[in-house]
Amino acid sequence: MLTAKAYIDQHFTEPDCISDAVSESGLGDRRFRDLFKTAFNTTPNRYLTLKKTEYAKELLSAGGLSVTEVSKRSGFSDIYYFSKVFKRIYD
């Protein structure tokens, strides 16, 4: 699972990051998710969302980019979803 977590850490802005991590692990989807949750006490999706929002927070703090650009660079496909998730985590 450490390899899978490292893969997610490196590819979190890519659209199929978790699916690719599952494929790389050689495990089935359900087994991967169960082992990930056991190892890291969070689901892969929650972990990925946290990685994306942490990166977005860094980009916003640095300044110079619009919220739309930060959303895209962080791996969110929809600015409205990004805004909703970001507010839920950081409000």
Side-chain angles (χ1 to χ4, degrees):
M1 287 291 92
L2 291 174
T3 304
K5 184 176 179 265
Y7 183 90
I8 292 170
D9 289 343
Q10 292 177 346
H11 300 276
F12 69 92
T13 60
E14 298 171 12
D16 296 326
C17 177
I18 292 177
S19 298
D20 293 343
V22 171
S23 295
E24 290 283 323
S25 74
L27 299 169
D29 188 59
R30 179 73 173 163
R31 183 73 176 141
F32 176 86
R33 291 173 193 281
D34 289 346
L35 289 174
F36 193 96
K37 183 163 183 160
T38 300
F40 304 112
N41 203 30
T42 189
T43 66
N45 286 337
R46 283 190 189 130
Y47 181 75
L48 177 62
T49 299
L50 188 58
K51 288 295 295 180
K52 288 180 176 185
T53 54
E54 286 174 353
Y55 183 60
K57 186 176 179 183
E58 290 175 21
L59 292 175
L60 289 168
S61 294
L65 296 174
S66 70
V67 175
T68 302
E69 186 61 30
V70 168
S71 170
K72 288 179 186 176
R73 287 189 185 192
S74 301
F76 289 92
S77 59
D78 182 322
I79 188 167
Y80 300 106
Y81 178 67
F82 164 71
S83 177
K84 179 181 169 182
V85 170
F86 193 87
K87 284 180 185 177
R88 181 178 35 135
I89 291 174
Y90 291 108
D91 255 354

